């Protein structure tokens, strides 16, 4: 199917999306909610599949809200998170029925209260807690250090006092998110249990009876390399025990327990298929140049932090040599730097990547890029066309589309207000 589309192609398999949602739900204590973090992949077909699978939507922008609504979510099924929400974004979300916001500061509480009054709405808020330092056993640490995320433990008292003076605010609970991409199940269990204990300590100290406790995520999945999503056979029982101890009425919804996931739910649904445009040697190093680089596959490559990369051949068992003979390519493996077509040395996807012997025109696949793939790339750099996104379920094509960056006129009245 991807052969029908020129240039790089992302293929998203919705059957894998559904399977991941079912696996995650089976691994979590019941009853609980699962929010899909649209930052991982905002393709509307992918979001719609997760809504059908029973997830809610975690959003951090007006664009993600529009995508969630387009995929069939109601505003009341969305949790609006993230630092730096503008007044316009908050008002826009309230007008579209968003009821729940994760709040990062006392100042944000005051702003939401003021905007809710103007809009004639009430806003439910979860106070995001910047708790203890996460253990060094995962991807990014999201707590326990100076951060734009969350309210430090010692500042929760003043924030709660502000919330009590905000008539348009309903303090519904707490939001804790300690880490991403836990290295293994024991590390994930340790961090989620620590978050539960922190939440219980906060509730005991301030006499809170939260209606919701969002414990965040940390669920892992391979990225840009071969592999399978991990299983979590012991997670549900471990968390049930901790919740029974700290929040005895949680099984009846006091509080409702929620989790968030982006990576785990969509990582293995996505494959990026690229074409080799050049193979060259430079000062003893082999370079494989692709028609897609950090403009098409973001991750952290543009910052100079490279993650392991797998390159899998697509339909190239043999090729003709210059004399017209046939040479078997598959078994011969070497290592190469995998780079893209951009005019910058930063366009590097991987160093010393094991690859089969490749030639210009060969197609390769980069696996497990359904999360943090296209929309984390430098889409606007060098104005190259974005890859095609091909969505499939089974052997059927659900959709084929391409993102475009376009320049549109700015409304003058809005512009004047922004400048003023």
């Amino acid at each position: 199917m991807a052969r029908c589309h020129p240039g790089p192609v992302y293929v998203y398999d919705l059957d894998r999306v559904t399977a991941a949602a079912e696996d995650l739900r089976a691994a979590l204590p019941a009853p609980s909610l699962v929010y899909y973090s649209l930052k991982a992949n905002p393709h509307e077909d992918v979001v719609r599949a997760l809504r059908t699978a029973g997830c809610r939507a975690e959003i951090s922008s007006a664009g993600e809200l529009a995508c969630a609504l387009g995929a069939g979510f109601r505003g009341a099924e969305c949790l609006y998170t993230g630092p730096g929400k503008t007044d316009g974004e908050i008002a826009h979300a309230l007008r579209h029925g968003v009821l729940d916001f994760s709040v990062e500061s006392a100042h944000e509480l005051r702003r939401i209260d003021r905007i809710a009054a103007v809009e004639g709405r009430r806003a439910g808020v979860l106070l995001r807690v910047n708790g203890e330092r996460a253990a060094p056993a995962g991807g990014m640490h999201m707590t326990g250090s100076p951060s734009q995320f969350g309210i430090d433990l010692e500042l929760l008292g003043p924030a709660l006092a502000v919330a009590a003076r905000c008539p348009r605010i309903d303090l519904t609970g707490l939001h804790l998110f300690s880490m991403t991409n836990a290295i293994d199940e024991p590390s994930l269990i340790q961090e989620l249990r620590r978050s539960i204990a922190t939440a219980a300590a906060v509730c005991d100290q301030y006499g809170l009876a939260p209606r919701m406790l969002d414990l965040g995520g940390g669920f892992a999945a391979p990225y840009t390399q071969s592999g399978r999503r991990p299983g979590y056979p012991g997670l549900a029982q471990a968390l049930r025990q901790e919740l029974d101890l700290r929040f005895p009425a949680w099984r009846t919804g006091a509080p409702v327990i929620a989790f968030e996931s982006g990576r785990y739910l969509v990582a293995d649904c996505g494959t990026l298929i690229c074409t080799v445009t050049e193979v060259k040697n430079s000062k003893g190093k082999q370079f494989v140049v692709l028609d897609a680089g950090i403009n098409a596959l973001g991750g952290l490559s543009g910052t100079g932090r490279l993650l392991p990369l797998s390159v899998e051949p697509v339909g190239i068992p043999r090729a003709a040599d210059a004399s017209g003979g046939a040479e078997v390519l598959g078994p011969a493996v070497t290592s190469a730097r995998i780079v893209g077509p951009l005019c910058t040395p930063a366009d590097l996807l991987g160093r010393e990547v094991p690859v089969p012997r490749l030639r210009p025109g060969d197609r390769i696949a980069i696996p497990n890029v359904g999360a943090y793939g296209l929309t984390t790339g430098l889409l606007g750099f060098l104005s190259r066309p974005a890859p095609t996104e091909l969505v499939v379920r089974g052997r059927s094509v659900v959709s084929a589309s391409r993102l475009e960056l376009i320049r549109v006129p700015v409304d003058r009245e809005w512009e004047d207000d922004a400048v003023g």
Side-chain angles (χ1 to χ4, degrees):
M1 288 181 282
R3 283 194 200 117
C4 301
H5 302 275
V9 179
Y10 272 94
V11 181
Y12 305 131
D13 185 340
L14 296 184
D15 286 336
R16 293 190 176 187
V17 174
T18 300
E22 292 173 350
D23 289 348
L24 183 57
R25 191 168 293 283
L28 294 174
S32 58
L33 300 178
V34 175
Y35 283 89
Y36 171 56
S37 298
L38 269 72
K39 64 180 69 68
N41 187 333
H43 194 292
E44 195 167 293
D45 288 330
V46 172
V47 178
R48 185 178 294 109
L50 286 163
R51 176 183 174 273
T52 301
C55 296
R56 295 192 179 188
E58 184 259 310
I59 58 175
S60 297
S61 70
E64 288 186 348
L65 173 57
C67 179
L69 296 174
F73 283 101
R74 295 178 294 109
E77 296 173 312
C78 299
L79 171 64
Y80 208 116
T81 70
K85 308 177 192 71
T86 68
D87 287 5
E89 289 170 343
I90 295 167
H92 179 78
L94 287 168
R95 289 174 202 148
H96 284 81
V98 175
L99 302 177
D100 296 305
F101 296 81
S102 174
V103 170
E104 313 278 358
S105 69
H107 175 63
E108 188 177 5
L109 281 169
R110 296 188 189 96
R111 288 197 300 121
I112 293 177
D113 179 64
R114 172 175 52 80
I115 296 163
V118 171
E119 297 297 326
R121 309 289 177 108
R122 296 190 65 81
V125 302
L126 303 176
L127 294 185
R128 182 162 178 174
V129 178
N130 184 6
E132 297 179 3
R133 174 71 172 169
M140 290 185 288
H141 297 145
M142 305 292 287
T143 192
S145 60
S147 174
Q148 69 269 43
F149 298 108
I151 302 171
D152 295 352
L153 284 171
E154 61 270 24
L155 298 178
L156 279 174
L160 287 167
V162 169
R165 296 193 297 269
C166 291
R168 292 285 179 164
I169 291 291
D170 289 327
L171 179 59
T172 56
L174 301 175
H175 182 195
L176 299 97
F177 201 124
S178 65
M179 67 185 295
T180 67
N181 207 27
I183 193 170
D184 52 29
E185 185 180 40
S187 300
L188 179 63
I189 290 173
Q190 176 185 359
E191 287 308 312
L192 290 174
R193 291 179 70 174
R194 189 203 304 260
S195 292
I196 294 168
T198 298
V202 168
C203 291
D204 289 345
Q205 180 176 354
Y206 297 106
L208 300 180
R211 300 199 296 274
M212 177 178 285
L213 179 59
D214 184 340
L215 296 172
F219 312 106
Y223 178 69
T224 72
Q225 57 185 308
S226 301
R228 297 171 61 88
R229 284 182 289 101
Y232 297 118
L235 179 62
Q237 179 59 23
L239 296 188
R240 279 194 294 266
Q241 291 175 348
E242 191 70 23
L243 288 166
D244 285 342
L245 175 65
R246 308 286 187 177
F247 295 94
W250 76 274
R251 294 176 188 254
T252 59
V256 171
I257 304 300
F259 299 90
E260 302 168 35
S261 177
R263 183 191 312 269
Y264 187 91
L265 289 171
V266 297
D268 76 346
C269 85
T271 302
L272 175 59
I273 299 175
C274 312
T275 300
V276 177
T277 61
E278 181 80 45
V279 178
K280 61 179 291 186
N281 285 287
S282 175
K283 300 187 183 301
K285 297 292 184 180
Q286 179 168 272
F287 288 77
V288 173
V289 186
L290 305 178
D291 61 351
I294 57 174
N295 59 317
L297 177 60
L300 298 173
S301 52
T303 67
R305 178 184 174 190
L306 299 184
L307 301 175
L309 184 79
S310 295
V311 169
E312 301 171 353
V314 177
I316 50 170
R318 59 184 62 244
D321 63 20
S323 63
E327 178 185 5
V328 176
L329 298 181
V333 175
T334 184
S335 65
R337 296 189 179 188
I338 308 299
V339 301
L342 306 184
C343 292
T344 169
D347 194 13
L348 175 65
L349 295 179
R351 295 188 181 93
E352 310 307 325
V353 177
V355 294
R357 197 178 305 152
L358 296 168
R359 293 181 176 178
D362 289 339
R363 303 197 88 187
I364 59 96
I366 300 174
N368 291 316
V369 288
Y372 305 110
L374 178 61
T375 53
T376 55
L378 302 178
L379 280 170
F381 190 46
L382 280 172
S383 300
R384 298 182 67 88
T388 297
E389 292 179 282
L390 188 65
V391 181
V392 301
R393 190 179 282 281
R395 299 184 63 84
S396 299
V397 175
V398 176
S399 69
S401 60
R402 177 181 287 117
L403 282 174
E404 286 189 359
L405 296 178
I406 59 173
R407 196 176 302 278
V408 297
V410 173
D411 180 85
R412 294 296 305 180
E413 181 179 352
W414 179 89
E415 184 184 45
D416 292 341
D417 288 343
V419 172

